[in-house]
């Protein structure tokens, strides 16, 4: 499976863009020098056959620097990640510290984070470009774990955290020296974030934490958690705080590693807190604003998730085209049956529409606009399209699609989470209705 990634190695050989030298600038020219050669031509984004090659001049939000960033990341994916994905899927865990250190050294864990803490200081469109490229990893679990590190557990810390907290938690997360996890969901409080029960009660200069978190991505390996907890008895939208919680403290118990139907290479933990003490200063930003901060983090999480799944859907379509072009039925290739190539054309159209929505939302977001409605629409559409696309394409693979030997069957399992995680489809619909002013008022 994923045989095309071996072809990428040949294309990338001899192309070594230096992220630090090219992207650590405040101004990004349309052409730039690397060594003796000047790169002013476009670097095409993969996959070509499915989504169509675009140059920087043709793209709505990407410049040559975006394509250079994607190309450099693809080299790491092809050499350091994809050759081992099958093994990590079987083991139900990938070595997060090792992979994150590789990515951190290359600058990919802090693309839009402040330069003073080790980031590249770029706008959010570069994070979207990275998320799209991570879709070339041959499973969903590893990109998801990377996304937790970059766009789910650290945005609020980067925006609102104290300099002390940024030095202790953000900086090593950007360099890949620490693995982060996000502690929001609980049993009975997944999409309904306001209903969480975990408490962090102030006692002197400390907080004492009791409760538990569920569905914690990379929870068995994480060095620290961005924890959402109730810090007062006030209204549910104003009584919560985000807290930087080291995971090696007394009273923190990893209850179990959860066995999942998909995203198998990413470990997921259930975590309990029993009188865990941390300094009060570990609260991110202002006490009581944790719910608001988390809603802001959700914007980036949802945009990131959409960007990540787009490339995988492109790859699934392309691999299905290649397979059905070779597979014979009724004395002609499966692809030549109108029901097949028409259906693939419909799916490709839907992917392109979703991509346009994502890029529009991203363009507005980097200008400082509230894109909650658009991000929710994109998240809703991505989850439903992933289910529709994976089911349709798997059908065209016939019996081979029902095996674990091909990417489409893995995507069929992994992508089901898109309609559940980071807010279920029904929550996205409620948010959209709220912005449309059609949600019934209490």
């Amino acid at each position: 499976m994923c045989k095309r990634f071996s072809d990428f190695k040949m294309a990338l050989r001899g192309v070594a863009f230096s992220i630090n030298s090219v992207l650590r600038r405040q101004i990004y020219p349309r052409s730039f020098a690397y060594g003796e050669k000047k790169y002013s031509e476009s670097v095409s984004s993969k996959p070509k056959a499915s989504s169509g090659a675009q140059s920087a001049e043709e793209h709505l939000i990407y410049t040559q620097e975006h394509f250079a960033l994607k190309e450099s990341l693809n080299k790491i994916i092809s050499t350091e990640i994809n050759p081992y994905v099958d093994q990590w899927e079987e083991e139900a865990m990938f070595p997060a510290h090792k992979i994150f250190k590789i990515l951190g050294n290359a600058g990919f864990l802090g693309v839009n984070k402040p330069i003073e803490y080790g980031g590249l200081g770029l706008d959010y469109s570069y994070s979207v470009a990275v998320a799209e490229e991570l879709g070339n990893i041959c499973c969903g679990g590893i990109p998801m774990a990377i996304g937790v590190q970059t766009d789910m557990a650290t945005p609020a810390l980067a925006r609102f955290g104290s300099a002390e907290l940024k030095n202790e938690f953000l900086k090593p997360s950007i360099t890949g020296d620490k693995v982060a996890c996000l502690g929001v969901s609980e049993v009975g409080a997944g999409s309904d974030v306001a209903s969480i029960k975990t408490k962090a009660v102030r006692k002197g200069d400390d907080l004492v934490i009791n409760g538990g978190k569920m569905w914690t991505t990379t929870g068995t390996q994480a060095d620290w958690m961005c924890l959402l907890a109730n810090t007062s008895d006030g209204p549910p939208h104003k009584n919560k705080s985000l807290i930087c919680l080291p995971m090696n403290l007394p009273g923190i118990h990893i209850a179990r590693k959860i066995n999942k139907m998909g995203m198998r290479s990413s470990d997921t933990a259930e975590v309990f807190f029993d009188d865990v003490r941390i300094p009060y200063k570990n609260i991110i930003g202002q006490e009581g604003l944790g719910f608001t901060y988390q809603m802001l983090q959700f914007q980036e999480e949802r945009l990131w998730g959409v960007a990540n799944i787009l490339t995988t859907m492109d790859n699934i379509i392309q691999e299905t085209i290649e397979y059905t072009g070779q597979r014979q039925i009724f004395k002609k290739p499966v692809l030549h049956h109108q029901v097949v190539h028409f259906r693939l054309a419909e799916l490709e159209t839907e992917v392109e529409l979703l991509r346009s929505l994502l890029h529009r939302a991203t363009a507005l977001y980097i200008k400082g606009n509230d894109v909650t409605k658009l991000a929710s629409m994109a998240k809703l559409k991505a989850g439903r399209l992933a289910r529709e696309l994976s089911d349709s394409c798997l059908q065209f693979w016939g019996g081979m699609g029902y095996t674990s030997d091909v990417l489409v069957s893995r995507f069929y399992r992994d992508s089901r989470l898109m309609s559940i995680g980071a807010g279920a489809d029904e929550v996205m619909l409620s948010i959209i209705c709220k912005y449309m002013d059609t949600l019934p008022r209490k």
Side-chain angles (χ1 to χ4, degrees), residues 95 283 292 309:
I283 289 180
T292 300
I309 208 167

Side-chain angles (χ1 to χ4, degrees), residues 317-330:
I317 290 174
Q318 184 57 30
E319 290 198 354
T320 302
I321 290 171
E322 293 172 3
Y323 181 73
T324 56
Q326 298 170 8
R327 181 186 174 205
Q328 296 277 327
I329 185 169
F330 302 128

